[in-house]
Amino acid sequence: MLRYTLMRLGIFVGCFLVVWGLVYAEILPRGLGDSNLLWVLLLALVISAPISFVVLRKERDRASETVVARVERTKANLEANRTQEDIADDLARAKADSRGGRTQAQGS
């Protein structure tokens, strides 16, 4: 997952540098007033998103499989804990019922 994130960040930084160079060379228009940095950031984001979508497809699938496996493992652990709690609760109730039954039988 970290690898995928770093690769996306690298693509974004590369696009940012290219867009900044094109704006500096006045091939692309500058932003209005002081909005030049925001213009370059947004344009780099719009350009890097489809590039990342296409280029990092295999890495994204690999990261997705890791996340799915982690979620399944967490679900299994939660279910195991829930089962242990149910067993412990059932034993405690059975023990309480057996003590309560003796007390009522003795009191009659």
Side-chain angles (χ1 to χ4, degrees):
M1 187 72 180
L2 179 63
R3 180 178 173 177
Y4 173 72
T5 302
L6 291 175
M7 291 172 85
R8 285 244 7 221
L9 184 63
I11 289 173
F12 172 75
V13 169
C15 288
F16 176 80
L17 292 174
V18 168
V19 170
W20 181 77
L22 292 173
V23 169
Y24 184 76
E26 296 183 359
I27 295 172
L28 291 176
R30 293 184 184 270
L32 298 174
D34 292 333
S35 67
N36 191 38
L37 179 62
L38 182 61
W39 164 252
V40 172
L41 283 171
L42 288 175
L43 195 55
L45 183 66
V46 167
I47 293 171
S48 70
I51 292 173
S52 296
F53 184 74
V54 172
V55 172
L56 300 179
R57 184 175 309 239
K58 289 181 182 178
E59 191 62 38
R60 186 177 56 251
D61 291 342
R62 195 174 306 137
S64 174
E65 289 172 3
T66 303
V67 169
V68 167
R70 203 175 286 171
V71 166
E72 292 300 323
R73 189 173 58 238
T74 302
K75 283 182 181 179
N77 288 341
L78 286 173
E79 185 60 35
N81 288 340
R82 186 177 301 129
T83 303
Q84 288 176 353
E85 289 174 2
D86 288 346
I87 291 171
D89 185 49
D90 290 344
L91 289 174
R93 286 177 191 246
K95 189 181 264 188
D97 286 345
S98 67
R99 286 183 186 164
R102 283 186 215 155
T103 306
Q104 289 177 355
Q106 292 173 354
S108 299

